[in-house]
Amino acid sequence: MEYTLGLMDPQLGRDRLVAVLTRLHTFWTAAEAGLNAWARRSPGDAGTVAWSRRRRAHLFAEDLRALGAEPDAGARPELPAVEDTDQALGRLYVLEGSTLGGTFIARHLATLPALGPDVRLGAFSPYGAETGAMWHAYRRVTRERVAAGGDADRVVAAARATFTALAAWCTPVGAPA
């Protein structure tokens, strides 16, 4: 089923944005939980990819609060465990890749009258002018990992599983009303 979250809609309202951000916050919280467990087991690899700087669930929570909403502490999607660095890099492919398109979303959201001039959202463009450099660094680490004997098939499988979980989790807010 194809769907859209409607974030680029010029008439996007606060309620719709809160619904989407709530869904994304819970997804990122679940995805980051698996990456946090991996980082505790593989702190050297987590440091190499700058995992501590790449976390974004807290930014989605801050964005919700800026809109006068509270993050949902309820249901979260079930994602596969992150067993090793190859799987972590696959999951990160999805999370980090979203920052590229997120810069366009952030620019669009800044123009919406429904948000008002005092609302500043940060989860879609967490790195600002450093977005390209952060993506490049992620790609470099991933290429080096695979060149040193990492399993590219495991990286890709983890990315696919993360994409699938994200699409399934966001379908309810993308379905026509």
Side-chain angles (χ1 to χ4, degrees):
M1 169 198 273
E2 284 192 39
Y3 64 92
T4 176
L5 295 177
L7 289 172
M8 298 302 287
D9 182 346
Q11 303 302 314
L12 178 67
R14 187 178 291 257
D15 290 346
R16 175 73 179 159
L17 182 56
V18 166
V20 171
L21 286 173
T22 297
R23 221 49 190 176
L24 292 174
H25 172 258
T26 55
F27 181 84
W28 251 258
T29 299
E32 288 182 5
L35 289 166
N36 288 335
W38 157 76
R40 285 189 296 277
R41 291 188 313 274
S42 302
D45 288 345
T48 299
V49 77
W51 167 235
S52 64
R53 185 164 179 223
R54 295 180 187 278
R55 290 182 179 103
R56 288 172 48 204
H58 70 284
L59 296 174
F60 284 107
E62 289 170 14
D63 288 354
L64 284 164
R65 289 186 188 102
L67 293 168
E70 284 298 317
D72 185 353
R76 291 203 176 105
E78 289 189 29
L79 288 118
V82 177
E83 297 173 5
D84 56 30
T85 299
D86 295 330
Q87 289 182 339
L89 292 171
R91 180 165 297 173
L92 278 168
Y93 176 81
V94 176
L95 303 183
E96 286 300 300
S98 72
T99 65
L100 299 173
T103 60
F104 296 100
I105 293 170
R107 275 187 241 141
H108 169 69
L109 294 177
T111 69
L112 295 178
L115 297 185
D118 298 330
V119 176
R120 186 113 171 101
L121 303 179
F124 291 108
S125 186
Y127 310 130
E130 293 182 70
T131 300
M134 290 294 287
W135 176 247
H136 177 74
Y138 161 79
R139 287 183 21 224
R140 180 186 46 76
V141 168
T142 303
R143 282 193 308 269
E144 288 172 359
R145 168 79 181 184
V146 171
D151 188 336
D153 290 337
R154 286 178 65 78
V155 173
V156 171
R160 284 186 176 148
T162 304
F163 271 125
T164 299
L166 177 59
W169 187 249
C170 289
T171 295
V173 295

Coordinates of all heavy atoms in Angstrom, one line a residue, residues 72-108:
D72 N 4.2 10.0 23.3 CA 3.5 8.8 23.7 C 4.4 7.8 24.3 O 5.3 7.4 23.6 CB 2.8 8.3 22.4 CG 1.8 7.2 22.7 OD1 1.8 6.7 23.9 OD2 1.1 6.8 21.8
A73 N 4.1 7.4 25.5 CA 4.9 6.4 26.1 C 4.3 5.0 26.0 O 4.7 4.0 26.6 CB 5.1 6.7 27.6
G74 N 3.3 4.9 25.1 CA 2.6 3.6 24.9 C 3.3 2.7 24.0 O 4.5 2.5 24.0
A75 N 2.5 2.1 23.1 CA 3.0 1.1 22.1 C 4.1 1.6 21.3 O 4.2 2.7 20.9 CB 1.8 0.6 21.2
R76 N 5.0 0.6 21.0 CA 6.2 0.9 20.2 C 6.3 -0.3 19.2 O 5.9 -1.4 19.5 CB 7.5 1.0 21.0 CG 7.5 2.2 21.8 CD 8.9 2.6 22.2 NE 8.9 3.8 23.0 CZ 9.0 3.9 24.3 NH1 9.3 2.8 25.0 NH2 9.0 5.0 24.9
P77 N 6.8 0.0 18.0 CA 7.0 -1.1 17.1 C 8.0 -2.1 17.6 O 8.9 -1.8 18.4 CB 7.5 -0.4 15.8 CG 8.2 0.8 16.3 CD 7.4 1.2 17.5
E78 N 7.8 -3.3 17.1 CA 8.8 -4.4 17.5 C 9.8 -4.4 16.3 O 9.4 -4.7 15.2 CB 8.1 -5.7 17.7 CG 7.4 -5.7 19.0 CD 6.9 -7.1 19.3 OE1 7.5 -8.1 18.9 OE2 5.8 -7.2 20.0
L79 N 11.1 -4.2 16.6 CA 12.1 -4.3 15.6 C 13.0 -5.5 16.0 O 13.2 -5.8 17.2 CB 12.9 -3.0 15.6 CG 12.2 -1.9 15.0 CD1 12.0 -0.8 16.0 CD2 12.9 -1.4 13.8
P80 N 13.7 -6.1 15.0 CA 14.6 -7.1 15.3 C 15.8 -6.6 16.2 O 16.1 -5.4 16.1 CB 15.2 -7.6 14.0 CG 14.2 -7.0 12.9 CD 13.6 -5.8 13.6
A81 N 16.3 -7.4 17.0 CA 17.5 -7.1 17.8 C 18.6 -6.7 16.9 O 18.7 -7.2 15.8 CB 17.9 -8.2 18.8
V82 N 19.5 -5.8 17.4 CA 20.7 -5.5 16.7 C 21.8 -6.3 17.3 O 22.3 -6.0 18.4 CB 21.0 -4.0 16.8 CG1 22.3 -3.6 16.1 CG2 19.9 -3.1 16.2
E83 N 22.2 -7.4 16.6 CA 23.1 -8.4 17.1 C 24.6 -8.0 17.0 O 25.4 -8.4 17.7 CB 22.8 -9.7 16.4 CG 21.5 -10.3 16.7 CD 21.1 -11.5 16.0 OE1 22.0 -12.0 15.2 OE2 20.0 -12.0 16.1
D84 N 24.9 -7.2 15.9 CA 26.3 -6.9 15.7 C 26.4 -5.5 14.9 O 25.4 -4.9 14.6 CB 26.9 -8.0 14.9 CG 26.2 -8.3 13.6 OD1 25.6 -7.4 13.0 OD2 26.3 -9.5 13.2
T85 N 27.6 -5.2 14.6 CA 27.9 -3.9 14.0 C 27.3 -3.8 12.6 O 26.8 -2.8 12.1 CB 29.4 -3.5 14.0 OG1 29.8 -3.5 15.4 CG2 29.7 -2.2 13.3
D86 N 27.3 -4.9 11.9 CA 26.8 -5.0 10.5 C 25.3 -4.6 10.6 O 24.8 -3.8 9.8 CB 27.0 -6.3 9.8 CG 28.4 -6.6 9.6 OD1 29.2 -5.7 9.4 OD2 28.8 -7.8 9.6
Q87 N 24.6 -5.2 11.5 CA 23.1 -4.9 11.6 C 22.9 -3.5 12.1 O 22.0 -2.8 11.7 CB 22.5 -5.9 12.6 CG 22.3 -7.3 12.0 CD 21.6 -8.3 12.9 OE1 21.6 -8.1 14.1 NE2 21.1 -9.3 12.3
A88 N 23.8 -3.0 13.0 CA 23.7 -1.6 13.5 C 23.8 -0.6 12.3 O 23.1 0.3 12.2 CB 24.7 -1.3 14.5
L89 N 24.8 -0.9 11.4 CA 25.0 0.0 10.3 C 23.8 -0.1 9.3 O 23.4 0.9 8.7 CB 26.3 -0.4 9.6 CG 27.6 -0.1 10.4 CD1 28.8 -0.7 9.7 CD2 27.7 1.4 10.6
G90 N 23.2 -1.2 9.2 CA 22.0 -1.3 8.4 C 20.8 -0.5 9.0 O 20.1 0.2 8.2
R91 N 20.6 -0.6 10.3 CA 19.5 0.2 10.9 C 19.9 1.7 10.7 O 19.0 2.5 10.4 CB 19.4 -0.2 12.4 CG 18.3 0.6 13.0 CD 17.8 0.1 14.3 NE 17.2 -1.2 14.1 CZ 16.8 -2.0 15.1 NH1 16.9 -1.5 16.4 NH2 16.3 -3.2 14.9
L92 N 21.1 2.0 11.0 CA 21.5 3.4 10.9 C 21.4 3.9 9.4 O 21.1 5.1 9.3 CB 23.0 3.6 11.3 CG 23.2 3.7 12.8 CD1 24.6 3.6 13.2 CD2 22.6 5.0 13.3
Y93 N 21.5 3.1 8.5 CA 21.3 3.5 7.1 C 19.9 4.2 6.9 O 19.8 5.3 6.3 CB 21.4 2.3 6.1 CG 21.1 2.7 4.7 CD1 22.1 3.3 3.9 CD2 19.8 2.5 4.1 CE1 21.8 3.7 2.6 CE2 19.6 2.8 2.8 CZ 20.6 3.4 2.0 OH 20.3 3.8 0.7
V94 N 18.9 3.6 7.5 CA 17.5 4.2 7.4 C 17.4 5.4 8.3 O 16.9 6.5 7.8 CB 16.5 3.1 7.9 CG1 15.1 3.7 7.9 CG2 16.6 1.9 7.0
L95 N 17.9 5.4 9.5 CA 17.8 6.5 10.4 C 18.6 7.7 9.9 O 18.1 8.9 9.9 CB 18.2 6.2 11.8 CG 17.5 5.0 12.4 CD1 18.0 4.8 13.9 CD2 16.0 5.2 12.4
E96 N 19.8 7.5 9.4 CA 20.6 8.5 8.9 C 20.2 9.0 7.6 O 20.3 10.2 7.3 CB 22.1 8.1 8.9 CG 22.7 8.0 10.2 CD 22.8 9.3 11.0 OE1 23.4 10.3 10.5 OE2 22.1 9.4 12.0
G97 N 19.8 8.1 6.7 CA 19.3 8.5 5.4 C 18.1 9.5 5.5 O 18.0 10.4 4.6
S98 N 17.3 9.3 6.5 CA 16.2 10.2 6.7 C 16.6 11.7 6.9 O 15.8 12.6 6.7 CB 15.3 9.7 7.8 OG 15.8 9.9 9.1
T99 N 17.8 11.9 7.4 CA 18.2 13.3 7.6 C 18.4 14.0 6.3 O 18.3 15.2 6.2 CB 19.5 13.4 8.4 OG1 20.6 12.8 7.7 CG2 19.4 12.7 9.7
L100 N 18.7 13.3 5.2 CA 18.8 13.9 3.9 C 17.5 14.6 3.4 O 17.5 15.7 3.1 CB 19.4 12.9 2.9 CG 20.8 12.3 3.2 CD1 21.1 11.2 2.2 CD2 21.8 13.4 3.3
G101 N 16.5 13.8 3.4 CA 15.2 14.3 3.0 C 14.6 15.2 4.1 O 13.8 16.1 3.8
G102 N 15.0 14.9 5.3 CA 14.6 15.7 6.4 C 14.9 17.2 6.3 O 14.2 18.1 6.8
T103 N 16.0 17.5 5.6 CA 16.3 19.0 5.5 C 15.2 19.7 4.7 O 14.9 20.8 5.0 CB 17.7 19.1 4.8 OG1 17.7 18.5 3.5 CG2 18.8 18.6 5.6
F104 N 14.7 19.0 3.7 CA 13.6 19.6 2.9 C 12.3 19.7 3.7 O 11.6 20.7 3.6 CB 13.3 18.7 1.6 CG 14.5 18.7 0.7 CD1 15.4 17.6 0.6 CD2 14.7 19.8 -0.2 CE1 16.4 17.6 -0.2 CE2 15.8 19.8 -1.0 CZ 16.7 18.7 -1.1
I105 N 12.0 18.7 4.5 CA 10.9 18.7 5.3 C 11.0 19.9 6.3 O 10.1 20.6 6.5 CB 10.7 17.4 6.0 CG1 10.3 16.3 5.0 CG2 9.6 17.5 7.1 CD1 10.3 14.9 5.5
A106 N 12.2 20.0 6.9 CA 12.4 21.1 7.9 C 12.2 22.4 7.3 O 11.5 23.3 8.0 CB 13.8 20.9 8.6
R107 N 12.7 22.6 6.2 CA 12.5 23.9 5.5 C 11.0 24.2 5.2 O 10.6 25.3 5.4 CB 13.3 24.0 4.2 CG 14.7 24.4 4.4 CD 15.5 24.6 3.1 NE 16.5 23.7 3.1 CZ 17.0 23.0 2.1 NH1 16.4 23.2 0.9 NH2 18.0 22.2 2.2
H108 N 10.3 23.2 4.8 CA 8.9 23.4 4.5 C 8.2 23.7 5.8 O 7.3 24.6 5.8 CB 8.3 22.1 3.8 CG 6.9 22.1 3.7 ND1 6.2 23.0 2.9 CD2 5.9 21.4 4.4 CE1 4.9 22.8 3.1 NE2 4.7 21.8 4.0

